[in-house]
Amino acid sequence: MLISAVLPCYNEDKVLAMTYSELSAEMKEITDDYELIFVDDGSHDGTRAILRQFAEKDGHVRYISFSRNFGKESAMLAGLQYSSGEYVVIMDSDLQHPPELIGQMLAYARQGYDQVIAQRDRTGDKKLGSFFARSYYRLVDRLTDVKLTDGIGDFRMLSRKALNALLTMNEYNRFSKGLFSWIGFREKIIHYKNRSRAAGESKWSFRSLVRYGVDGVLSFNNKPLRFCIFIGAFAILISLMYLIFLLVGIIFKGIDMPGYFTTIFTICFFGGVQLISIGIIGEYVGRIYYEVKRRPHYLVDETNFSKENKGQ
Ligand code: UDP
Ligand code: MG
């Protein structure tokens, strides 16, 4: 097998036919030695039925249907684990990742680049959204030990070598953008013009974006923990100085009415510092809790892969 394409799909019945035909046409131009792996991430629309149909009439199509929605990260992981191509391309199923780039990606991959990454520009994005996204990337880039770049997502082609490296990381809380960057290897970035999705709607809500954002910061470092220590130390220092200041006052002027404002301020300030710190620690503890359970990343309900096929 030369190329595997991995496409996570969650409630994509409006766009799948389009994606399938564009992608198949592109693949056929490159080679006949390809597979399209659609991972149905617990959709509750017609996605599964459509995939079944594709698979019936086209031997290149594989599909994996989860028992429920496990999230895009798990869907990608499943597709990658089942793939058998020498090169694997990961892409969204809403045609936001243009299939016509695959030929170019393959050319670079064959030159020995282990990760060929497609970077989008921000054409057509909402101004405010892209401002927040860009600031977020800058922040994460600062905070964490891995490098993240604006406009770089999951759309990329991996060599078998890079893929095997990626699959050695079996953590439960997966943050692919970080994992891709963590494995390293030779990278090549190509650029493309941003596209809006061909049909259907985005699965990201504000809440899921925030959750994803927190994942990104916490998965790759323990700097937030260090930050708690730093804030704590700073607060202690300030309060010590304040104590000395009060003592000096008492010695020279005697005891007068202690300030109501400062007392309340202190209580509030330290209350805040402690809550933030406990929250951050709680996030890490929660993650440890999920990791030690060693639960599977996903459960397969239905697939046209035979058992032996998995993990070639
Ligand atoms: N997706 C998924 N599981 C989810 C959410 C999304 O497999 O729980 C897939 C979705 O079908 C699409 C890709 O992830 O192929 C990107 O999702 P979407 O287009 O909604 O995100 P956006 O492009 O708006 O960032
Ligand atoms: Mg999309």
Side-chain angles (χ1 to χ4, degrees):
M1 186 76 60
L2 182 68
I3 311 182
S4 307
V6 171
L7 299 100
C9 337
Y10 180 50
N11 295 340
E12 300 287 12
D13 62 355
K14 289 195 190 64
V15 71
L16 272 179
M18 250 187 285
T19 310
Y20 167 72
S21 63
E22 260 197 48
L23 184 58
S24 301
E26 176 64 25
M27 285 297 198
K28 290 216 165 72
E29 268 184 26
I30 301 170
T31 171
D32 199 39
D33 199 16
Y34 70 92
E35 61 179 355
L36 309 181
I37 305 177
F38 292 92
V39 187
D40 162 25
D41 184 13
S43 306
H44 38 73
D45 62 353
T47 299
R48 191 192 291 205
I50 292 173
L51 295 181
R52 237 184 254 144
Q53 279 171 20
F54 290 166
E56 249 165 52
K57 62 172 201 252
D58 183 349
H60 293 293
V61 174
R62 309 260 185 279
Y63 72 96
I64 305 164
S65 255
F66 287 175
S67 62
R68 64 169 174 84
N69 181 239
F70 280 90
K72 187 186 175 191
E73 291 287 346
S74 302
M76 285 196 297
L77 178 68
L80 295 175
Q81 285 177 337
Y82 278 78
S83 71
S84 47
E86 204 178 319
Y87 302 100
V88 180
V89 59
I90 307 168
M91 55 202 300
D92 285 0
S93 50
D94 57 3
L95 284 180
Q96 280 193 296
H97 297 163
E100 59 265 25
L101 289 181
I102 294 176
Q104 199 190 345
M105 289 170 128
L106 183 68
Y108 281 117
R110 282 186 155 147
Q111 282 173 27
Y113 290 103
D114 293 293
Q115 296 201 53
V116 184
I117 305 160
Q119 180 174 23
R120 71 187 180 99
D121 61 16
R122 288 213 166 259
T123 321
D125 269 11
K126 291 201 189 77
K127 284 249 157 54
L128 192 69
S130 69
F131 168 74
F132 277 121
R134 254 198 296 260
S135 320
Y136 171 72
Y137 281 120
R138 220 169 295 146
L139 179 79
V140 173
D141 204 48
R142 275 269 176 83
L143 280 180
T144 68
D145 311 328
V146 293
K147 202 165 164 36
L148 295 187
T149 315
D150 179 44
I152 285 187
D154 302 320
F155 186 24
R156 62 185 68 214
M157 184 177 278
L158 301 177
S159 67
R160 211 6 84 177
K161 187 164 69 176
L163 177 60
N164 286 340
L166 192 72
L167 291 179
T168 57
M169 286 183 285
N170 205 24
E171 57 210 78
Y172 188 81
N173 293 288
R174 293 182 81 78
F175 183 71
S176 278
K177 285 194 172 99
L179 296 175
F180 287 136
S181 144
W182 191 89
I183 58 171
F185 294 113
R186 279 186 78 194
E187 289 178 2
K188 173 79 193 169
I189 295 181
I190 60 175
H191 297 270
Y192 71 100
K193 201 159 167 262
N194 189 27
R195 275 209 204 174
S196 48
R197 78 170 21 244
E201 56 223 31
S202 174
K203 311 300 177 294
W204 289 97
S205 62
F206 180 69
R207 256 180 67 195
S208 61
L209 273 180
V210 170
R211 212 176 309 144
Y212 187 68
V214 172
D215 267 342
V217 178
L218 297 191
S219 311
F220 273 91
N221 68 90
N222 50 13
K223 279 184 197 152
L225 281 175
R226 237 174 281 155
F227 186 67
C228 293
I229 297 172
F230 175 74
I231 289 275
F234 181 71
I236 289 172
L237 196 77
I238 296 275
S239 60
L240 272 180
M241 274 157 48
Y242 182 58
L243 202 72
I244 292 169
F245 170 76
L246 281 185
L247 264 178
V248 171
I250 289 169
I251 290 166
F252 287 104
K253 287 196 245 154
I255 297 170
D256 59 351
M257 254 314 264
Y260 176 75
F261 172 75
T262 42
T263 314
I264 293 296
F265 171 78
T266 319
I267 291 171
C268 290
F269 182 71
F270 290 109
V273 169
Q274 284 165 2
L275 278 181
I276 290 174
S277 311
I278 291 172
I280 293 175
I281 294 166
E283 278 287 332
Y284 280 101
V285 174
R287 265 143 229 272
I288 295 168
Y289 179 61
Y290 276 107
E291 293 295 341
V292 294
K293 283 189 203 220
R294 300 207 146 269
R295 285 189 179 158
H297 293 90
Y298 55 85
L299 292 172
V300 176
D301 182 24
E302 183 186 323
T303 174
N304 67 340
F305 273 104
S306 52
K307 263 224 164 71
E308 316 76 79
N309 248 339
K310 194 189 160 172
Q312 278 171 353

